[in-house]
Amino acid sequence: MEKLEQLYEGKAKKVFATENPELLIVSYKDDATAFNGLKKGTISGKGVINNRMSNFLMGKLLEPKGVATHFVEELNDRETVVKKVQIVPLEVIIRNISAGSFAKRYGVEEGIVFDEPTIEFSYKNDDLGDPLLNTYHALALKLATKEEIETIKSMAFQVNDALKAYFKTLGIDLVDFKLEFGRLSDGTIVLADEISPDTCRLWDDKTHEKLDKDRFRRDLGGVEDAYQEVMRRLMGE
Ligand code: ADP
Ligand code: UDP
């Protein structure tokens, strides 16, 4: 499968058309941004890790458990064929442990383990800074139907159950993560975008060392090593 014209360049990936109107090729970059694009940098080797990790988690872990995803085929280290979707403009965030904006917003420390996972939605809109919204707001803005929101919620919790259990076997606590969903041409909702240390908080379950993009956001150093360490535990390399 060949890349045709570039349709979009985002902060972390480029998206290309293919000869098949139902398929796209995504190409993962080493560019990193944080705080809605205010902080910019490069994490060497990140594109390769995020591509391979996302494909492994979607293709080998989630699809066999019945979670429909956009994943089709890994072409090479940085490029993957995915099903083209119309992205539902919601960032779906699941949390198992307090951290980041949750800790800040509610004035609690990081590291509180919740009895039940939480879910929240942000309106995926860079100009507005991805504002938090609830399902009534999403319906009022016609971002998705009631039925789609129900599907997205149940798929997101299913993803959490599978990922949380799997990461635990690698000695990693899945703290929180962001998912994006999309509609295939027939309207079916599938998991899209990526699952990677850019979009998940991953803490070593013994040392509580951060193995994710917070090392970049918070200038903790060892960013590349952290991404490599997750990859090593995940795929034995
Ligand atoms: P951003 O747009 O936030 O800068 P990226 O650099 O990751 O993010 O760009 C990838 C873009 O492609 C995102 O806008 C994402 O919503 C979109 N996307 C992800 N998967 C698909 C898909 N299967 N079909 C169409 N668009 C997708
Ligand atoms: N996240 C993301 N993209 C975003 C916002 C959040 O991938 O635009 C992920 C982030 O990596 C974390 C989770 O979603 O794993 C929860 O992020 P939070 O709301 O705490 O925001 P942050 O602290 O990143 O501002």
Side-chain angles (χ1 to χ4, degrees):
M1 176 123 340
E2 301 272 311
K3 286 187 297 216
L4 299 181
E5 78 272 18
Q6 183 176 308
L7 300 175
Y8 178 76
E9 175 160 7
K11 297 184 288 290
K13 300 190 283 299
K14 294 179 184 177
V15 180
F16 297 89
T18 68
E19 56 266 35
N20 184 334
E22 307 273 336
L23 300 177
L24 298 172
I25 292 174
V26 292
S27 179
Y28 284 73
K29 309 190 288 181
D30 286 350
D31 298 352
T33 63
F35 314 119
N36 202 26
L38 282 178
K39 183 180 169 90
K40 290 192 174 70
T42 303
I43 302 173
S44 172
K46 169 173 89 81
V48 173
I49 290 172
N50 288 8
N51 180 45
R52 298 190 55 208
M53 176 168 165
S54 194
N55 294 343
F56 176 80
L57 293 174
M58 289 192 192
K60 298 272 186 339
L61 188 76
L62 297 174
E63 288 276 0
K65 290 193 187 295
V67 179
T69 78
H70 72 163
F71 175 70
V72 177
E73 184 194 4
E74 188 168 291
L75 291 178
N76 56 53
D77 270 359
R78 286 182 189 269
E79 295 177 335
T80 294
V81 182
V82 299
K83 293 176 188 161
K84 180 179 187 166
V85 300
Q86 180 189 42
I87 290 285
V88 176
L90 291 173
E91 299 203 332
V92 181
I93 293 170
I94 298 269
R95 301 178 191 271
N96 297 303
I97 300 176
S98 66
S101 69
F102 182 97
K104 198 169 168 204
R105 186 181 317 125
Y106 301 119
V108 297
E109 70 207 78
E110 295 198 310
I112 303 164
V113 180
F114 303 146
D115 292 340
E116 295 287 333
T118 67
I119 189 165
E120 72 208 41
F121 301 96
S122 293
Y123 180 20
K124 189 173 152 59
N125 183 318
D126 280 341
D127 295 338
L128 300 175
D130 298 339
L132 194 65
L133 48 62
N134 66 32
T135 56
Y136 295 92
H137 299 144
L139 285 173
L141 293 167
K142 294 197 171 16
L143 305 183
T145 66
K146 245 183 192 166
E147 197 188 8
E148 285 175 336
I149 291 173
E150 281 313 309
T151 303
I152 285 171
K153 268 199 213 164
S154 84
M155 286 175 78
F157 283 122
Q158 228 186 317
V159 169
N160 184 47
D161 290 343
L163 291 184
K164 193 178 145 191
Y166 185 67
F167 277 114
K168 196 66 192 174
T169 69
L170 310 176
I172 292 174
D173 284 329
L174 176 62
V175 174
D176 58 28
F177 57 97
K178 182 266 297 179
L179 299 175
E180 293 183 24
F181 293 86
R183 304 173 185 99
L184 298 178
S185 54
D186 68 359
T188 309
I189 296 283
V190 301
L191 177 64
D193 206 50
E194 66 177 274
I195 306 173
S196 71
D198 273 14
T199 63
C200 301
R201 284 195 171 91
L202 303 168
W203 293 354
D204 182 280
D205 69 357
K206 303 274 176 335
T207 65
H208 302 293
E209 189 190 356
K210 296 185 198 317
L211 300 172
D212 57 62
K213 197 166 134 184
D214 270 347
R215 302 205 75 84
F216 169 78
R217 290 191 191 97
R218 303 179 186 190
D219 294 319
L220 300 175
V223 188
E224 279 89 358
D225 287 348
Y227 278 66
Q228 285 293 345
E229 176 60 18
V230 175
M231 190 67 177
R232 193 188 63 72
R233 293 195 199 184
L234 205 63
M235 322 215 5
E237 55 189 77

